[in-house]
């Protein structure tokens, strides 16, 4: 009990280990590089509604979870937004209202109408 | 260019990334800039998209390089779908400028075996794809075995004889081919006439092609997959 057993790495050469180490180092480097470039979202302490209208002012996409969506949905056309329903499960990411991270869908996406014709993005 | 779906299904994963250059249009393929001298995401070039990150959903035409009044954040972000398996649908353009109609290749010599389209093709269409725009073979897609300046030869014959005056559309790449695509100058459409078969930016998953009667010259699309995505180490 409590003993650790070392499994012999049969067939693993030094070059393979070096390549694996280089691979993960590259991934880490890229991750750290990009982590500084990802938006942190709403600053802690800022009002959620103000943050969403700030996003609307620069025509940035707005993503909202089920708890926050009903507050913006009635007003989204007034801000010139299109409710994107192309993806049945919604989108994954961070909620612009409450900062909750949702995987596998669950966020409602709003795209500004100015972008709908660009890149032939469909309505 | 926009996300049409994903190979493995599910929802897009959207993140907001700081821009490394002014992005005045949405629907652009973005890459992570070089580690040494840049600080944000940038547009892919027309022929390459190494370390691609995804397709943008919005645009930010202004990049701040100085402080803003009121302690505002000068960093500007665009929303990007970062899933590596996303299927990017881009319209086919007939030139380097987005919105150009596909060129029409008019057959000038009748073919009774469906294996020769006589028109002023170029060698760029070698190993590309061709489909009928008018005539008995309208809407049929074939891979081109060989293309020279005067004709193109499909591998599998068209179903019907090819008559004089039949119009064809052609692209330099196609589904299942180990060939990349060339983007237009604006980057959100594919230049169907550009020869970038040895490139590594995208691979074509499918072609949404239509005959002339259904607006195929301006309403045909290519479904693309990133070949060199940042999250998948090559």
């Amino acid at each position: 009990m409590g003993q650790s057993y070392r499994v012999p790495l049969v067939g693993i050469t030094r070059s393979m280990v070096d390549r694996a180490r280089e691979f993960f180092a590259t991934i880490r480097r890229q991750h750290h590089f990009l982590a500084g470039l990802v938006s942190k979202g709403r600053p802690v302490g800022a009002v959620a509604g103000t943050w969403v209208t700030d996003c609307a002012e620069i025509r940035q996409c707005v993503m909202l979870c089920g708890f926050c969506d009903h507050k913006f949905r009635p007003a989204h056309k007034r801000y010139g937004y299109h409710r994107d329903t192309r993806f049945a499960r919604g989108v994954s990411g961070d909620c612009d209202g409450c900062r909750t991270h949702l995987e596998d869908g669950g966020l409602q996406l709003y795209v500004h109408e100015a972008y709908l014709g660009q890149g032939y993005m469909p309505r | 260019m926009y996300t049409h779906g994903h190979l493995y299904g599910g929802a897009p994963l959207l993140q907001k990334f700081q821009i490394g250059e002014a992005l005045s249009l949405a629907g652009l393929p973005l890459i992570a800039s070089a580690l040494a001298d840049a600080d944000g995401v940038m547009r892919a070039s027309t022929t390459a998209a190494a370390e691609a990150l995804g397709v943008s959903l919005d645009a930010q035409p202004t990049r701040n390089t100085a402080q803003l009044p009121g302690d505002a954040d000068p960093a500007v972000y665009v929303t990007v779908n970062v899933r590596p398996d996303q299927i990017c649908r881009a319209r086919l353009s007939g030139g380097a400028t987005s919105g150009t109609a596909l060129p029409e290749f008019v057959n000038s010599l009748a073919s009774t075996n469906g294996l020769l389209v006589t028109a002023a093709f170029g060698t760029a269409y070698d190993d590309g794809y061709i489909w009928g725009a008018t005539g008995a073979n309208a809407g049929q897609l074939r891979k081109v075995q060989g293309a020279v300046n005067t004709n193109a030869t499909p591998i599998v014959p068209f179903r019907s004889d090819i008559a004089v005056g039949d119009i064809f559309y052609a692209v330099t790449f196609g589904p299942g081919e180990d060939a990349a695509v060339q983007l237009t100058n604006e980057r959100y459409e594919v230049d169907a006439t550009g020869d970038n078969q040895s490139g590594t930016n995208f691979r074509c998953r499918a072609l949404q092609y239509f005959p002339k009667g259904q607006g195929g010259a301006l309403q045909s699309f290519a479904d693309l997959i990133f070949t060199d995505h940042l999250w998948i180490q090559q």
Side-chain angles (χ1 to χ4, degrees):
Chain A
M1 294 293 289
Q3 286 182 323
S4 62
Y5 295 94
R6 175 167 291 190
V7 179
L9 300 175
V10 179
I12 304 295
T13 64
R14 182 59 183 252
S15 65
M16 292 168 70
V17 173
D18 289 343
R19 282 179 57 193
R21 186 175 290 136
E22 184 183 347
F23 169 78
F24 288 111
T26 306
I27 291 289
R28 270 197 303 274
R29 198 164 57 242
Q30 290 170 342
H31 176 75
H32 290 154
F33 166 68
L34 284 169
L37 300 178
V38 178
S39 170
K40 299 287 190 296
R42 175 173 64 86
V44 176
V47 179
T50 307
W51 175 254
V52 172
T53 53
D54 285 350
C55 291
E57 193 176 335
I58 57 174
R59 298 180 171 182
Q60 201 173 62
C61 287
V62 174
M63 297 175 284
L64 296 171
C65 69
F67 295 106
C68 300
D69 181 38
H70 72 281
K71 299 171 187 170
F72 184 68
R73 186 184 294 191
H76 73 275
K77 287 194 174 166
R78 182 152 49 88
Y79 289 102
Y81 272 81
H82 167 73
R83 188 165 166 264
D84 195 332
T85 55
R86 283 180 295 159
F87 303 103
R89 307 171 78 141
V91 299
S92 305
D94 296 330
C95 174
D96 282 319
C98 61
R99 299 165 53 102
T100 303
H101 182 78
L102 289 181
E103 291 286 355
D104 202 17
L107 294 174
Q108 175 60 54
L109 172 66
Y110 293 93
V111 181
H112 198 275
E113 290 186 345
Y115 302 131
L116 292 183
Q118 295 179 11
Y120 218 75
M121 194 184 297
R123 280 183 174 269
Chain B
M1 182 179 295
Y2 60 92
T3 302
H4 177 65
H6 303 87
L7 285 176
Y8 301 104
L13 175 58
L14 303 186
Q15 287 185 304
K16 296 181 179 179
F17 277 96
Q18 187 179 324
I19 59 173
E21 64 176 351
L23 301 171
S24 56
L25 293 168
L28 303 176
L30 301 178
I31 59 171
S33 48
L35 296 179
D37 57 353
D39 68 341
V41 295
M42 296 177 164
R43 290 189 309 171
S45 72
T46 56
T47 57
E51 309 291 10
L53 198 58
V55 175
S56 64
L57 280 87
D58 50 25
Q60 293 299 334
T62 305
R63 177 174 178 252
N64 302 316
T65 54
Q67 283 187 322
L68 297 178
D71 293 336
D73 186 5
V76 182
Y77 300 90
V78 290
T79 310
V80 187
N81 179 14
V82 297
R83 277 188 60 168
D85 65 331
Q86 63 184 292
I87 301 167
C88 312
R89 178 165 286 186
R91 186 163 64 160
L92 296 175
S93 173
T97 304
S98 299
T100 308
L102 292 175
E104 295 183 352
F105 296 100
V106 183
N107 184 53
S108 60
L109 190 66
S111 171
T112 55
N113 59 5
L115 273 174
L116 187 68
V117 180
T118 307
F121 290 93
T123 54
Y125 293 100
D126 195 4
D127 289 329
Y129 277 74
I130 183 174
W131 73 92
T134 63
N137 295 302
Q140 291 182 42
L141 182 76
R142 292 291 184 268
K143 188 186 175 187
V144 175
Q145 183 179 28
V148 294
N149 289 329
T150 54
N151 60 57
T153 311
I155 296 175
V156 176
F158 283 101
R159 289 186 185 181
S160 307
D161 294 348
I162 302 171
V164 174
D166 285 358
I167 297 175
F168 290 84
Y169 296 135
V171 293
T172 57
F173 56 90
E177 287 294 306
D178 188 18
V181 303
Q182 184 164 324
L183 302 179
T184 55
N185 293 335
E186 295 81 6
R187 312 288 203 275
Y188 60 76
E189 291 185 3
V190 173
D191 182 359
T193 65
D195 189 4
N196 187 30
Q197 293 188 349
S198 59
T200 57
N201 53 0
F202 292 96
R203 289 290 182 270
C204 180
R205 172 185 168 272
L207 286 174
Q208 310 296 324
Y209 55 97
F210 298 99
K212 186 176 181 180
Q214 298 178 21
L218 283 168
Q219 295 292 328
S220 293
F221 296 85
D223 287 353
L224 308 171
I225 305 287
F226 281 108
T227 310
D228 186 1
H229 194 276
L230 186 67
W231 303 139
I232 296 180
Q233 188 69 21
Q234 295 293 309

